[in-house]
Amino acid sequence: MEEGLLLVVSGPSGCGKGTIYKELLKRNGKINISISATTREAREGEIDGVDYFFINEEKFESMIKNNEFLEYAHVHTNYYGTPKSFVFDKIEKGNDVLLEIDVQGAMQIKEIYPKAIFIFILPPSMEELKNRIIKRGTESLENIEIRLNNANKELEYINEYDYVVVNDEVIKAVNKVESIIQAEKCKTERQIKNINNIL
Ligand code: 5GP
């Protein structure tokens, strides 16, 4: 069986990564979303075990010590990390997995699993990014500033990514991500078994 794809999606806060992957999931139920652990407070409407595993710093640090994360990073003002067990279990069974993580985490994945596919989501403009974060209404003024500052730092890593998708319209952006997935699956190196079967 061919291994599943590991898709790593990053982009500044407010660029719409969350909306894109939720729409992607609606269309393609076969993609598995890894649920991260975080020390950040749950936003209104977020559910523990669905959006994130919301845990305290003590628990997070004990998970780091016990080597339970595939990658983790301190983003904005909190810890975020990808629990190890889920990801490779799914990929080995031929299922695709999507990680929505920051650039620091993405660079760690690049070291551990260079075969992963790295997609960077950009907002149509930096002005629009600011408007979207403000409009979302989930962050304090201080947090908005932190997130906008981090956006500039994250952009410095854009050349490390295989693909860039501008999120001007969600449907168009999702179409592009789906095309990337399909093209990656058609790569000759991922078609060896199919080729042998056909021949
Ligand atoms: P938010 O607080 O808006 O949900 O997420 C803040 C940032 O943390 C986003 O850039 C998101 O991609 C990143 N993030 C979420 N989960 C993880 C994770 O497991 N690892 C890393 N490194 N970053 C994550």
Side-chain angles (χ1 to χ4, degrees):
M1 184 192 285
E2 291 292 339
E3 272 187 351
L5 303 180
L6 179 58
L7 300 154
V8 177
V9 178
S10 308
S13 180
C15 71
K17 312 178 283 267
T19 322
I20 291 178
Y21 88 65
K22 278 178 192 144
E23 184 59 36
L24 190 66
L25 204 63
K26 272 197 226 155
R27 290 196 202 176
N28 182 346
K30 283 193 194 147
I31 292 189
N32 296 274
I33 306 284
S34 155
I35 302 168
S36 300
T38 183
T39 57
R40 127 158 125 58
E41 295 268 315
R43 293 180 187 137
E44 213 180 299
E46 283 184 329
I47 301 166
D48 186 34
V50 175
D51 297 286
Y52 282 105
F53 297 109
F54 295 100
I55 60 178
N56 61 27
E57 276 200 19
E58 199 184 338
K59 168 84 177 145
F60 201 101
E61 280 162 4
S62 91
M63 287 178 77
I64 297 175
K65 262 197 206 134
N66 296 331
N67 205 16
E68 289 177 53
F69 288 117
L70 192 59
E71 62 71 36
Y72 70 91
H74 207 250
V75 192
H76 309 315
T77 51
N78 288 294
Y79 277 126
Y80 295 82
T82 306
K84 225 178 219 174
S85 47
F86 178 85
V87 177
F88 289 127
D89 190 44
K90 291 282 179 199
I91 291 175
E92 279 159 20
K93 291 187 177 125
N95 300 304
D96 302 331
V97 176
L98 186 146
L99 304 182
E100 194 257 272
I101 60 178
D102 88 311
V103 293
Q104 306 168 68
M107 293 308 107
Q108 293 172 45
I109 299 291
K110 214 169 184 182
E111 286 283 315
I112 314 166
Y113 195 76
K115 276 190 282 183
I117 296 140
F118 295 86
I119 305 174
F120 199 95
I121 310 288
L122 272 184
S125 69
M126 296 313 276
E127 194 54 35
E128 176 62 17
L129 185 76
K130 189 173 179 182
N131 291 341
R132 285 184 191 172
I133 304 180
I134 295 170
K135 211 165 122 197
R136 194 164 73 185
T138 54
E139 309 301 327
S140 63
L141 265 182
E142 188 193 351
N143 259 335
I144 293 174
E145 278 307 312
I146 293 175
R147 282 169 185 258
L148 287 173
N149 276 333
N150 279 350
N152 291 321
K153 287 188 203 138
E154 296 196 89
L155 285 168
E156 290 172 14
Y157 287 84
I158 203 160
N159 286 325
E160 300 287 340
Y161 286 72
D162 303 308
Y163 299 95
V164 173
V165 171
V166 178
N167 184 18
D168 41 6
E169 268 177 54
V170 176
I171 299 302
K172 277 194 199 161
V174 177
N175 287 344
K176 285 181 187 166
V177 175
E178 274 201 311
S179 306
I180 293 168
I181 296 173
Q182 285 189 8
E184 285 288 339
K185 282 188 184 288
C186 290
K187 278 200 165 156
T188 314
E189 72 230 31
R190 293 203 177 90
Q191 288 292 324
I192 305 290
K193 281 178 192 140
N194 260 347
I195 297 168
N196 288 339
N197 283 341
I198 291 167
L199 302 183

